[in-house]
Amino acid sequence: MLVQLSIRDIVLIDRLELQFGDGLSVLTGETGAGKSILLDSVSLALGGRGDGALVRHGERQGVVTAVFDVPADHPARAIAAQAEIDTEGDLILRRVQMADGRTRAFINDQAASVQVLRAIGATLVEIHAQNADRALVDPATHRAILDAYGGLAADGAAVAAASDRVREARRALERHRARIEAARKEADFLRHAVEELSALAPKPGEEEALAERRTTMMQAEKVASDLAEAFDSVAGNASPVAALSAAVRKLERRGAQAPALVDPPVRALDAALVALDEARAALEEAMRAAEFDPHELERVEERLFALRAAARKHDVPADELVALAQRYASDLAEIDAGEETLHRLEAALAEADVAYVAAARALSDKRRAAAHALDAAVLAELPPLKLERAAFITEITVDEGSRDPAGFDRVEFWARTNPGTRPGPMMKVASGGELSRFMLALKVVIADRGSAPTLVFDEIDTGVGGAVADAIGQRLARLAGRVQVMAVTHAPQVAARAGAHYLISKEPVDGSDRVATRVAPLREAPRRDEIARMLAGATITDEARAAAGKLLEAAIR
């Protein structure tokens, strides 16, 4: 709730301090006294568009400060806290307008962006003027107004949560589809590679072993004859083994006659025989190794060349073919598993979508019921506002093809101003005065259901008088029982309904030829005289004062 407005060095305003209380406050005064400047200042403090022309001539800057007393759980405090602004105590919105067009914004004396100031201001004050009512002009807000009226916050939250689940399920599916698509492009290669490497069945260290075997077999033919000749020398006809063995036996028979002479040669000859026997065994082993089947060489070379060709093809060392085959098989398994995951994600999306549709349809049904109730409630307010032949229609268009977080429904307030005419969007069908009265009727109906704590009406009574003006005053007073209401008015019937009355006037500035806007609270006799002026014009008569007194008495009743 707006409790204080301070304006300094704005056009026609040197310094102005206003205090506001609960209920209905009206501002009256002659045309041109500065009411529009006052409202422009309020808009500036709420984050409205800045303009260097607002700064009083000769000054470098102007300042507007608005102080609000709002509950701790009000959305404005949450927005401020999110912007890391201290929210203890009152909310103080301050806007500095430079003469060169630049502006600066402050919230609780902390610098803030104009966007944050505007977001906070939108939750605190609604300014309604002819052809400038945000709630009616912008159809994007109509659905939220209907939901607030119908008490559908929980249902809306359920649909929003269901929409989030659909969105997340769709994102997960799309991400996985992208991965699957990329994998599918490699799947044919992977399958062929896995089949090829599985058929090849490489083994760790196989290339080295095959290369060594091939080299051995290729060299065997060159050394085979030398090995045979050496073997013949050791164990063949030319072998000294028989002669050495006979010599050893002969010496052994003489050993008893001269052991000192015989034993050392016998031991040496025995060692020679042992060495020859070892040489024979080694030569036999070498000869066996040198023996090979030419077909085996072909098989070894074929296998070796196949391993090396596969290594070149896959650009890895031959010893890494085993690990490569395992990796390809794992990638292929992931692709196959990915297809299963794809089916699972598709099922999850379908399930989330079914849940969303159910929640959105339930919300849509409740919206239609709330729309009927809202139409009836607004319609009941129209006759006293001289709109007895008009109709208020909440038009709901359903598009189940969308997956909007707020549901299937597009909501727009329509009107029909005369029987037999085609209804249409209120902004297009209603005139400025009719639009203001439609808006007032709507605000009376929904004031305690999502409205800002402060409503400002600018000349909502333009073009009406008598009973219609009185009906407007009654509704503003009713509205003020639930929210703070401020109204700029030229209707005495409206002014008489106010709990607080302020007079806006232009007065000369002492010691200069300038004039400045002043705002003064009116009570009792001055207030009655102002209402009398509104009734009679420049010359206030006794009859006008009496009529003003009757209006004030009627308002009290």
Side-chain angles (χ1 to χ4, degrees):
M1 182 176 69
L2 180 61
V3 296
Q4 181 178 331
L5 180 67
S6 174
I7 307 173
R8 187 175 75 248
D9 294 330
I10 296 294
V11 175
L12 291 180
I13 299 175
D14 293 329
R15 185 181 296 272
L16 184 63
E17 297 282 347
L18 288 176
Q19 302 286 336
F20 297 99
D22 295 335
L24 173 61
S25 298
V26 296
L27 296 97
T28 66
E30 296 286 354
T31 300
K35 296 186 291 294
S36 61
I37 294 170
L38 199 62
L39 292 182
D40 287 344
S41 298
V42 173
S43 177
L44 186 66
L46 300 173
R49 184 182 297 276
D51 187 349
L54 288 172
V55 179
R56 189 163 60 85
H57 181 69
E59 298 296 331
R60 292 178 55 254
Q61 65 182 36
V63 181
V64 181
T65 304
V67 181
F68 294 86
D69 177 18
V70 293
D73 59 351
H74 192 275
R77 293 191 183 275
I79 297 171
Q82 190 174 14
E84 299 183 351
I85 293 172
D86 179 21
T87 60
E88 186 176 354
D90 293 336
L91 275 180
I92 304 173
L93 310 186
R94 179 161 57 93
R95 188 83 174 276
V96 179
Q97 173 68 63
M98 309 294 185
D100 61 7
R102 294 178 298 117
T103 68
R104 298 180 64 193
F106 299 87
I107 302 172
N108 286 3
D109 288 330
Q110 291 180 240
S113 69
V114 174
Q115 289 76 15
V116 172
L117 187 71
R118 187 178 300 121
I120 291 176
T123 68
L124 296 172
V125 178
E126 291 180 18
I127 300 178
H128 300 286
Q130 292 191 43
N131 301 322
D133 173 47
R134 290 170 299 174
L136 292 179
V137 170
D138 185 4
T141 65
H142 295 179
R143 186 167 56 190
I145 291 173
L146 178 62
D147 287 352
Y149 177 77
L152 304 180
D155 301 272
V159 171
S163 175
D164 287 343
R165 289 191 289 271
V166 170
R167 185 173 62 255
E168 289 303 317
R170 181 173 289 109
R171 285 178 179 173
L173 178 59
E174 289 173 352
R175 286 195 298 266
H176 191 71
R177 275 179 175 162
R179 288 196 296 268
I180 289 294
E181 187 61 29
R184 280 174 178 165
K185 294 178 181 178
E186 299 183 4
D188 291 341
F189 164 76
L190 289 174
R191 293 186 194 283
H192 175 73
V194 168
E195 291 174 2
E196 181 183 60
L197 292 175
S198 296
L200 184 62
K203 299 177 179 60
E206 185 179 9
E207 183 204 21
E208 183 179 358
L210 289 172
E212 290 178 358
R213 177 62 177 156
R214 175 173 177 264
T215 299
T216 299
M217 285 190 290
M218 291 178 67
Q219 297 296 327
E221 186 176 1
K222 298 178 181 179
V223 300
S225 58
D226 293 337
L227 289 173
E229 184 179 344
F231 181 81
D232 186 62
S233 298
V234 173
N237 294 329
S239 173
V241 173
L244 291 175
S245 296
V248 168
R249 288 195 297 273
K250 184 183 289 187
L251 289 173
E252 285 178 342
R253 287 195 294 271
R254 299 290 186 182
Q257 299 173 1
L261 294 174
V262 173
D263 288 347
V266 168
R267 287 195 297 272
L269 288 171
D270 284 338
L273 289 171
V274 170
L276 287 170
D277 188 58
E278 291 177 353
R280 179 194 57 76
L283 287 167
E284 285 180 344
E285 178 67 24
M287 289 170 66
R288 281 195 297 272
E291 292 177 356
F292 67 92
D293 182 356
H295 296 296
E296 180 185 359
L297 177 59
E298 293 178 4
R299 290 193 297 272
V300 168
E301 288 184 334
E302 182 179 350
R303 176 68 176 175
L304 179 62
F305 295 159
L307 287 172
R308 288 176 174 174
R312 286 193 300 272
K313 179 178 179 179
H314 296 286
D315 196 25
V316 295
D319 281 348
E320 294 183 13
L321 286 173
V322 175
L324 181 67
Q326 293 173 345
R327 186 166 73 250
Y328 282 170
S330 176
D331 291 346
L332 195 58
E334 285 187 8
I335 293 175
D336 294 337
E339 294 290 346
E340 297 178 3
T341 302
L342 183 65
H343 296 322
R344 179 176 58 78
L345 291 175
E346 288 173 339
L349 174 58
E351 182 180 349
D353 193 66
V354 168
Y356 171 84
V357 169
R361 284 176 178 169
L363 177 58
S364 189
D365 290 342
K366 292 182 179 180
R367 278 180 176 148
R368 280 191 287 273
H372 290 312
L374 178 61
D375 292 350
V378 174
L379 191 63
E381 297 291 336
L382 297 181
L385 297 174
K386 205 176 180 179
L387 292 170
E388 63 277 358
R389 297 170 65 82
F392 176 88
I393 303 162
T394 303
E395 181 71 13
I396 299 178
T397 304
V398 178
D399 178 13
E400 291 203 2
S402 71
R403 291 297 182 266
D404 192 287
F408 296 141
D409 309 313
R410 181 179 181 275
V411 179
E412 187 170 6
F413 296 144
W414 282 20
R416 185 178 61 237
T417 55
N418 293 292
T421 60
R422 175 178 292 183
M426 188 176 299
M427 187 61 188
K428 296 180 180 179
V429 171
S431 67
E434 290 170 335
L435 182 63
S436 295
R437 282 175 276 157
F438 271 117
M439 176 271 300
L440 177 59
L442 178 62
K443 276 299 176 185
V444 168
V445 170
I446 67 170
D448 57 348
R449 307 185 192 189
S451 179
T454 299
L455 304 179
V456 178
F457 295 90
D458 183 18
E459 299 186 0
I460 193 174
D461 45 56
T462 297
V464 301
V468 177
D470 187 55
I472 291 174
Q474 290 180 28
R475 277 149 185 79
L476 287 173
R478 282 169 51 195
L479 199 54
R482 290 172 284 181
V483 294
Q484 184 185 43
V485 178
M486 300 176 193
V488 175
T489 182
H490 290 289
Q493 296 89 343
V494 173
R497 297 278 177 181
H501 191 152
Y502 298 88
L503 176 63
I504 303 176
S505 61
K506 248 187 321 194
E507 300 176 3
V509 176
D510 294 340
S512 73
D513 58 355
R514 293 191 304 108
V515 295
T517 293
R518 307 285 189 227
V519 181
L522 299 180
R523 294 180 178 83
E524 298 180 358
R527 182 184 181 196
R528 184 189 62 196
D529 286 348
E530 170 61 9
I531 294 175
R533 181 198 64 77
M534 297 170 73
L535 285 165
T539 301
I540 302 176
T541 64
D542 291 338
E543 290 80 1
R545 286 191 177 91
K550 289 181 180 179
L551 285 177
L552 290 168
E553 290 174 5
I556 295 174
R557 293 197 301 268

